[in-house]
Amino acid sequence: MDVTEKKIINPASGAIVMALGIFLHGVMSHFLSQSAERWFALTFLFLAIVIYSKLVQQFFQKDFLTPFLNNPVNSFVIGSWIAGFSVLGIVLENYTPLLHSLAVGVAVINSCLWVFFIYVSMKNFKRLWQRPTFHATHGVVLLSAVAAQSLVVLWEKMFPGLPDLVSLSAFGLGVFFYANGLMLILKRYLSTDWSLIEDWTNTNCIIHGGLSITGLAMITTNLLDGLLLYYYWLVVLIVFCLVEGVEVLRAIKRIQQKGWKEGIFTYHISQWSRNFTFGMFFAFTMAMRKNSYDGNLLHEFHHFFLPVLALMVLLALLIEVTLWACEVLVGNRFTS
């Protein structure tokens, strides 16, 4: 993202925190002991501090802030900062109860940042709708919805006494943002000529990731239960398969044209969005076990499906961490 000549860190680096955080929140317990989980949580905290300190330092650079906020598409990566903060707060609360005050502080700061992000999102959605086919809109705009729903989940965890109206308002705003983002993405791909190899972006996996975190917010707030939630999960599963089917086809074409390394094994910051969305679908599916209707139709399927999905999330994370480590070692830079 070329918004400044003095780039300290890629603005999308919040995706690293949200991807690692959702793994620790939902998947890690399938592979590690409780004591090991705490050490991983503390390591995650240290990594998050490093990333967010660099993001804050860069955010207040004069040459960075104005062009970044005025970019009607890329400015939505602020949503990854908020989602990252949300999973950070949840992980701290789950695995390090002695750091409860820190988790509360993270939740408060995150809520304030979200208020600012609402303004940025509203302004840039308006700009995108004024010229919907001019900008190359992609899945990053759906981080506006992800941010809102991640806060709903965080608030229910940290502030259970919060009035329902607050959580429901954030949930409704998240749905509104998702609908706007999805329509803009569809308009872009249905109204213009585009190449699957060059124009389909990694962030488009947030199409199903946004649905997954919305479902998790529904369960967390008890907004939806029973048969309707079961049908919603099926819709998310179908969208997950469709979007990832496109991703598989894109990967095949990229390998054929560019080879294995350049085609799929070259690091890019946007790849973390896939780790997040896979982990979020796992978290949503695992939470579905609490659904009163789930036991009738999905219990046996989930009993088989969840371990397989957990392995998929772990494998995707190991690949991404390896690519990231190679980028750091070879390129001598923390993020790119």
Side-chain angles (χ1 to χ4, degrees):
M1 186 183 300
D2 299 324
V3 295
T4 176
E5 295 179 356
K6 300 178 180 179
K7 186 173 71 173
I8 299 172
I9 188 172
N10 193 304
S13 296
I16 300 173
V17 180
M18 69 180 193
L20 294 174
I22 197 62
F23 175 81
L24 268 63
H25 171 55
V27 184
M28 185 172 62
S29 59
H30 283 252
F31 301 102
L32 298 175
S33 65
Q34 192 173 30
S35 59
E37 289 173 357
R38 291 195 186 96
W39 282 108
F40 271 90
L42 291 172
T43 303
F44 172 60
L45 172 61
F46 172 77
L47 179 63
I49 290 173
V50 172
I51 290 176
Y52 279 116
S53 63
K54 290 178 178 290
L55 286 172
V56 169
Q57 183 182 355
Q58 179 166 270
F59 186 78
F60 289 104
Q61 277 190 343
K62 181 180 178 181
D63 293 339
F64 168 83
L65 186 59
T66 301
F68 174 63
L69 295 180
N70 286 334
N71 189 309
V73 176
N74 290 338
S75 58
F76 281 95
V77 301
I78 295 175
S80 69
W81 307 354
I82 296 170
F85 264 135
S86 294
V87 293
L88 175 61
I90 293 171
V91 167
L92 289 176
E93 186 68 9
N94 286 343
Y95 296 109
T96 56
L98 293 178
L99 298 178
H100 171 73
S101 297
L102 178 60
V104 171
V106 167
V108 172
I109 293 172
N110 205 25
S111 301
C112 295
L113 178 60
W114 181 62
V115 173
F116 169 72
F117 185 47
I118 292 175
Y119 165 75
V120 175
S121 298
M122 289 290 194
K123 183 183 75 170
N124 285 325
F125 268 130
K126 180 180 178 180
R127 293 176 62 191
L128 290 173
W129 276 115
Q130 287 172 343
R131 305 176 71 182
T133 59
F134 178 77
H135 302 282
T137 307
H138 53 88
V140 73
V141 299
L142 298 177
L143 286 172
S144 55
V146 170
Q149 306 302 3
S150 74
L151 268 174
V152 172
V153 178
L154 177 65
W155 288 343
E156 289 295 318
K157 180 72 175 180
M158 302 302 305
F159 312 118
L162 200 68
D164 291 342
L165 181 61
V166 177
S167 294
L168 291 177
S169 297
F171 177 85
L173 191 58
V175 173
F176 172 75
F177 283 154
Y178 183 88
N180 273 271
L182 183 62
M183 286 188 290
L184 284 166
I185 293 170
L186 291 176
K187 193 168 185 64
R188 180 247 174 124
Y189 286 109
L190 295 176
S191 302
T192 60
D193 295 329
W194 57 280
S195 163
L196 178 62
I197 294 178
E198 302 299 337
D199 299 319
W200 182 268
T201 66
N202 293 317
T203 57
N204 284 338
C205 62
I206 306 175
I207 292 173
H208 64 74
L211 292 176
S212 292
I213 197 170
T214 299
L216 184 61
M218 288 179 185
I219 295 174
T220 304
T221 58
N222 296 314
L223 185 63
L224 195 63
D225 195 8
L227 185 60
L228 289 177
L229 185 59
Y230 162 73
Y231 283 137
Y232 180 85
W233 183 86
L234 286 179
V235 170
V236 178
L237 176 63
I238 292 171
V239 175
F240 178 90
C241 293
L242 289 174
V243 173
E244 293 307 319
V246 174
E247 290 283 354
V248 170
L249 180 60
R250 172 175 174 253
I252 293 172
K253 288 183 174 294
R254 285 181 63 87
I255 292 170
Q256 291 173 341
Q257 185 178 103
K258 302 183 177 185
W260 283 90
K261 186 178 188 304
E262 187 179 351
I264 61 173
F265 289 126
T266 298
Y267 176 79
H268 192 276
I269 192 75
S270 63
Q271 293 163 350
W272 288 101
S273 59
R274 181 172 300 105
N275 296 93
F276 174 76
T277 55
F278 272 60
M280 184 52 64
F281 184 55
F282 177 90
F284 175 38
T285 303
M286 186 169 62
M288 277 290 294
R289 288 183 169 184
K290 301 176 183 178
N291 182 29
S292 60
Y293 205 79
D294 179 46
N296 296 323
L297 296 176
L298 286 177
H299 181 74
E300 291 300 324
F301 177 69
H302 283 174
H303 182 71
F304 164 78
F305 182 63
L306 276 170
V308 174
L309 185 57
L311 285 173
M312 290 174 57
V313 175
L314 176 62
L315 178 61
L317 183 65
L318 291 176
I319 292 173
E320 193 60 29
V321 169
T322 301
L323 293 176
W324 182 31
C326 292
E327 180 72 12
V328 172
L329 293 174
V330 175
N332 194 30
R333 49 191 173 181
F334 188 68
T335 60
S336 58

